Amino acid sequence: MQRHDQIIIKRARRNSHEAGHGGAWKVAFADFMIALMALFLVLWILAIVDKTERQAIVAYLNSSSLFDQASGNPFNTSTSLSPIDLGGEAADLSSHDAAVTVTSFYDGNGDGSQTDALVQGTYETQEQLKVLAQVVEELAKQVSAEGNVHVDVTPQGLRIVLQDDFRQNMFHRGSSELTPFFEDLLLALAPIFQKIQNPLIISGHTDAVRYSGTFSERSNWELSASRANAARQTLITGGAPENHVLQVAGMADRAPLNPEEPKASENRRIELFVLTSVAARMVETLFKGPPANDDGPVLQQAREKAEFNQPVIRQDYIEAS
């Protein structure tokens, strides 16, 4: 006889309410709470900061990275002037890769079509200054700094304005250390000043926000002068001749570009003024004064004529007769 084994299959009962005891909903709920907390933090920051501080935060986040060691910890406020500033130290000239710097764009012979036609010499006429302005504007496009560079041709020379915008800050607030973006921009401008022989005035400008650094005696005057000198040092590092710099000045907030909003970001700037020979002589005269014992032919003729027209005293006339 054959043995037949009986196979028994047991099926587990499934309760309809077991799905609700899983852990997937907890993960989704945690993600939702994190997103909600982030939203509350953003709304809180928007409520406690003004327009200028919001622009500073955006500029810092656009120019910094958590993976960049030079940027430091953005949440470390030990080097910041306020908890919102997030202002650490900027990198020096050797701590970042100046990949956008133009180094050999001006080594032409004057026969090129654009910036290659920038020949060495002094730029005096309005037409020459316009050519120089086109060179600066073309360079600004190459380094993606069109919104940070503004050029004006004036009767006294060429005015080059380097200023903040909502994406990039030239300096961390209260600091005279250039950010890497503007270091690269000044290094790219330096070969231009190797070509031209015009004297240069560098001026620093701040907004109307009062300086609140560690040293109470320091003000926007010292800050603007330090920033102008930092721009000078960077240009010289890039190859600009040091003896072409005629003056480095700090203007504080006395010459705002936007007088209606004295705390606006466009008022924080560095100006490079390329002077004509006539304008340079006027500036030099203000500080040097007229040369000693050298009155010039016009003044000498006026003096001789005045002596000739002096009245004759009656007693001398009688003795002479």
Side-chain angles (χ1 to χ4, degrees), residues 159-162 201-205 255 257 269-273:
R159 181 188 182 196
I160 305 172
V161 180
L162 311 179
I201 290 180
I202 305 174
S203 61
H205 303 259
L257 287 181
R269 67 194 189 278
I270 294 292
E271 293 195 7
L272 311 175
F273 208 111

Side-chain angles (χ1 to χ4, degrees), residues 192-213:
I192 295 180
F193 300 104
Q194 289 180 341
K195 290 287 186 178
I196 63 177
Q197 304 296 324
N198 300 59
L200 179 65
I201 290 180
I202 305 174
S203 61
H205 303 259
T206 66
D207 56 23
V209 178
R210 295 185 60 184
Y211 181 80
S212 58

Side-chain angles (χ1 to χ4, degrees), residues 1-206:
M1 297 182 59
Q2 295 183 354
R3 182 179 177 182
H4 297 280
D5 295 333
Q6 185 176 2
I7 299 175
I8 301 174
I9 300 175
K10 294 184 177 181
R11 298 176 180 249
R13 296 179 59 187
R14 293 184 179 181
N15 297 326
S16 59
H17 60 276
E18 284 188 356
H21 294 284
W25 70 273
K26 298 178 182 179
V27 177
F29 183 73
D31 292 340
F32 173 74
M33 293 303 296
I34 292 175
L36 194 60
M37 182 180 65
L39 175 62
F40 286 158
L41 286 175
V42 172
L43 294 177
W44 173 72
I45 292 176
L46 291 176
I48 66 171
V49 300
D50 56 16
K51 178 180 178 182
T52 303
E53 291 174 329
R54 288 198 296 269
Q55 292 176 347
I57 293 173
V58 172
Y60 183 84
L61 293 177
N62 285 334
S63 60
S64 303
S65 173
L66 290 173
F67 304 99
D68 186 5
Q69 296 180 356
S71 300
N73 182 6
F75 302 103
N76 181 13
T77 60
S78 60
T79 59
S80 175
L81 300 180
S82 70
I84 302 300
D85 256 343
L86 304 176
E89 292 294 331
D92 57 12
L93 292 177
S94 59
S95 64
H96 67 280
D97 183 13
V100 298
T101 303
V102 180
T103 57
S104 60
F105 203 72
Y106 305 97
D107 300 332
N109 55 8
D111 297 330
S113 58
Q114 295 180 357
T115 55
D116 193 31
L118 187 64
V119 296
Q120 189 167 356
T122 304
Y123 288 72
E124 301 286 351
T125 65
Q126 294 290 296
E127 289 74 16
Q128 292 174 335
L129 292 173
K130 288 179 180 178
V131 172
L132 185 58
Q134 293 177 356
V135 172
V136 176
E137 290 174 348
E138 179 64 26
L139 182 142
K141 292 180 181 178
Q142 289 191 5
V143 297
S144 301
E146 301 95 323
N148 304 102
V149 180
H150 303 279
V151 184
D152 294 321
V153 178
T154 70
Q156 294 77 27
L158 183 66
R159 181 188 182 196
I160 305 172
V161 180
L162 311 179
Q163 62 183 156
D164 292 356
D165 62 5
F166 69 95
R167 294 181 297 109
Q168 299 288 347
N169 277 350
M170 189 179 302
F171 301 92
H172 293 297
R173 183 166 297 181
S175 171
S176 59
E177 295 288 338
L178 283 162
T179 56
F181 178 84
F182 281 92
E183 280 181 349
D184 290 340
L185 178 58
L186 286 169
L187 291 173
L189 287 171
I192 295 180
F193 300 104
Q194 289 180 341
K195 290 287 186 178
I196 63 177
Q197 304 296 324
N198 300 59
L200 179 65
I201 290 180
I202 305 174
S203 61
H205 303 259
T206 66

Side-chain angles (χ1 to χ4, degrees), residues 243-254:
N243 59 353
H244 287 180
V245 180
L246 180 62
Q247 185 181 30
V248 177
M251 297 292 293
D253 58 340
R254 293 303 179 92

Side-chain angles (χ1 to χ4, degrees), residues 206 210-212 215-225 252:
T206 66
R210 295 185 60 184
Y211 181 80
S212 58
F215 302 101
S216 58
E217 67 273 10
R218 188 175 172 88
S219 66
N220 282 340
W221 289 103
E222 289 81 9
L223 181 61
S224 59

